[in-house]
Amino acid sequence: MTTPLDEQTLARCVQTAALAPSLHNSQPWRFRIADGTVDVFADRNRQLEVLDPAGRELLISVGAAVFTLRLAIGAQGRIPQLTVLPDPELPDLVARIRTGRATTPSAQVSALTAAITARHTNRRPFADAVVPADSMEQLSVAAAQEGAVLTRASAVSRDTIIGLGQAAEARLRARGSYRAELGRWTQPRTHRRDGIPPTAYGPWDAMEHMPLRDFGLVHRQPSRPTERFEAHPTIAVLATDGDAPPDWIRAGQALQRVLLTATCLHLATTPISQPVEIPAVREMLTDTSSNRWAQMIIRLGYAEPAAATPRRTLDDILERLQP
């Protein structure tokens, strides 16, 4: 019988999982280790009630952490056995991952694991260079491996999505509750280990073309530069068949696999969520006739490396069982 991974090793895997992306870097997850098993919980105290009242983006964020945890365990030479929403009595228990039999990590697992620390959301201008078709194919395959669909937007669709993103951003900015919530997650504080620091805001788009979230909207930085962004960005839509909590968790795992695959391909990435945060706008990106729901927009391209955002400590996210 295979001996389970020890708690110290699993704790390191949890710390790696916490490098996953999340809405406003809210890191809405908690973990518990017992007998070679890691339980992953949604931390509802970190849910963004204005942007995400249904908790869809929260579960996408937790799903991204679940995928990262699977990778970290796989890199330790064990097959991760995943169960999603394992206990109806515990709705915040998103996933349970058991360490299965020993195995040799595949080249893909090793490459994706190495990309975890290099992946950062990039809000800088991208180069005016086309993302090759074979790279897009690899990203589509990555999404499909997690049960999702990634579609590159055509020139017409791209312009439509950019327009919808601009409209969504304008509608959000007009809401006082949105500005208050954004202010809480961007407020500079000494030793803060969550949220978006000024170093990760990115420059302001001189042409106001790219629908990136303005993280400097509330706490403005006088030294923040203004730059010209690419005129014809590569935009892809990540979608799932269905729009229930299991689909959101699946979308998060697919999102992280896509982002890490892009990192391996030396691509910069920016998840863009405003168009899917306004229900009326999201419906325009969704094919309801086939029950295929848009979950996230992803900007892809080539750029200088982005700064990392802070992460909470292991003590903050790992629940210790009492002896």
Side-chain angles (χ1 to χ4, degrees):
M1 186 175 69
T2 302
T3 304
L5 290 177
D6 61 84
E7 183 171 338
Q8 186 176 15
T9 300
L10 286 176
R12 290 198 299 271
C13 293
V14 165
Q15 201 157 28
T16 298
L19 296 175
S22 59
L23 181 63
H24 286 19
N25 192 28
S26 53
Q27 304 170 51
W29 42 63
R30 293 179 291 110
F31 302 85
R32 182 184 296 159
I33 297 172
D35 301 324
T37 297
V38 183
D39 285 346
V40 186
F41 295 85
D43 188 342
R44 299 287 175 178
N45 293 324
R46 292 181 161 266
Q47 182 173 339
L48 277 71
E49 298 290 348
V50 176
L51 276 185
D52 187 33
R56 182 184 66 86
E57 290 190 81
L58 178 144
L59 288 182
I60 288 176
S61 299
V62 178
V66 168
F67 178 77
T68 314
L69 180 58
R70 286 168 50 201
L71 267 185
I73 290 173
Q76 293 296 322
R78 297 301 175 89
I79 296 177
Q81 299 174 336
L82 171 67
T83 306
V84 172
L85 300 174
D87 191 340
E89 300 298 319
L90 297 172
D92 289 343
L93 177 56
V94 172
R96 176 168 288 151
I97 302 179
R98 301 182 186 278
T99 54
R101 63 178 176 82
T103 186
T104 300
S106 67
Q108 184 182 57
V109 166
S110 297
L112 292 177
T113 302
I116 292 172
T117 55
R119 182 219 61 82
H120 307 302
T121 297
N122 197 317
R123 301 181 182 90
R124 297 181 55 81
F126 290 179
D128 287 318
V130 176
V131 176
D134 63 335
S135 294
M136 291 304 306
E137 177 62 21
Q138 290 183 59
L139 298 178
S140 296
V141 169
Q145 286 179 282
E146 299 304 322
V149 177
L150 185 76
T151 305
R152 181 178 189 159
S154 66
V156 173
S157 297
R158 176 198 64 214
D159 292 343
T160 299
I161 290 169
I162 288 174
L164 291 173
Q166 291 168 339
E169 174 71 7
R171 290 173 65 172
L172 288 169
R173 284 191 212 174
R175 298 165 60 180
S177 56
Y178 167 76
R179 297 169 73 97
E181 185 173 75
L182 183 68
R184 287 194 295 273
W185 289 101
T186 57
Q187 182 178 18
R189 288 203 307 262
T190 304
H191 306 306
R192 180 167 191 171
R193 305 197 67 83
D194 59 7
I196 306 295
T199 53
Y201 288 1
W204 181 245
D205 181 2
M207 304 300 291
E208 296 194 5
H209 172 69
M210 194 67 64
L212 301 181
R213 198 184 305 279
D214 183 9
F215 284 106
L217 182 65
V218 180
H219 304 290
R220 297 195 175 276
Q221 301 295 311
S223 59
R224 185 183 181 193
T226 298
E227 297 184 25
R228 187 182 295 272
F229 282 64
E230 67 273 21
H232 305 294
T234 298
I235 299 290
V237 179
L238 181 72
T240 56
D241 292 333
D243 193 39
D247 305 305
W248 304 339
I249 298 164
R250 185 166 67 253
Q253 295 185 82
L255 173 65
Q256 180 67 332
R257 185 184 277 272
V258 167
L259 297 179
L260 293 176
T261 301
T263 302
C264 291
L265 295 170
H266 308 292
L267 288 167
T269 57
T270 318
I272 300 175
S273 56
Q274 300 97 306
V276 289
E277 288 165 352
I278 302 292
V281 175
R282 185 181 180 220
E283 287 180 11
M284 297 180 188
L285 297 168
T286 292
D287 184 2
T288 53
S289 64
S290 62
N291 198 33
R292 180 168 291 175
W293 291 80
Q295 302 292 352
M296 188 64 66
I297 311 299
I298 307 173
R299 169 183 171 236
L300 299 151
Y302 299 94
E304 293 296 319
T309 49
R311 288 299 187 271
R312 295 188 291 156
T313 67
L314 192 61
D315 287 340
D316 292 329
I317 61 174
L318 182 59
E319 297 181 2
R320 307 283 184 176
L321 292 179
Q322 298 299 319

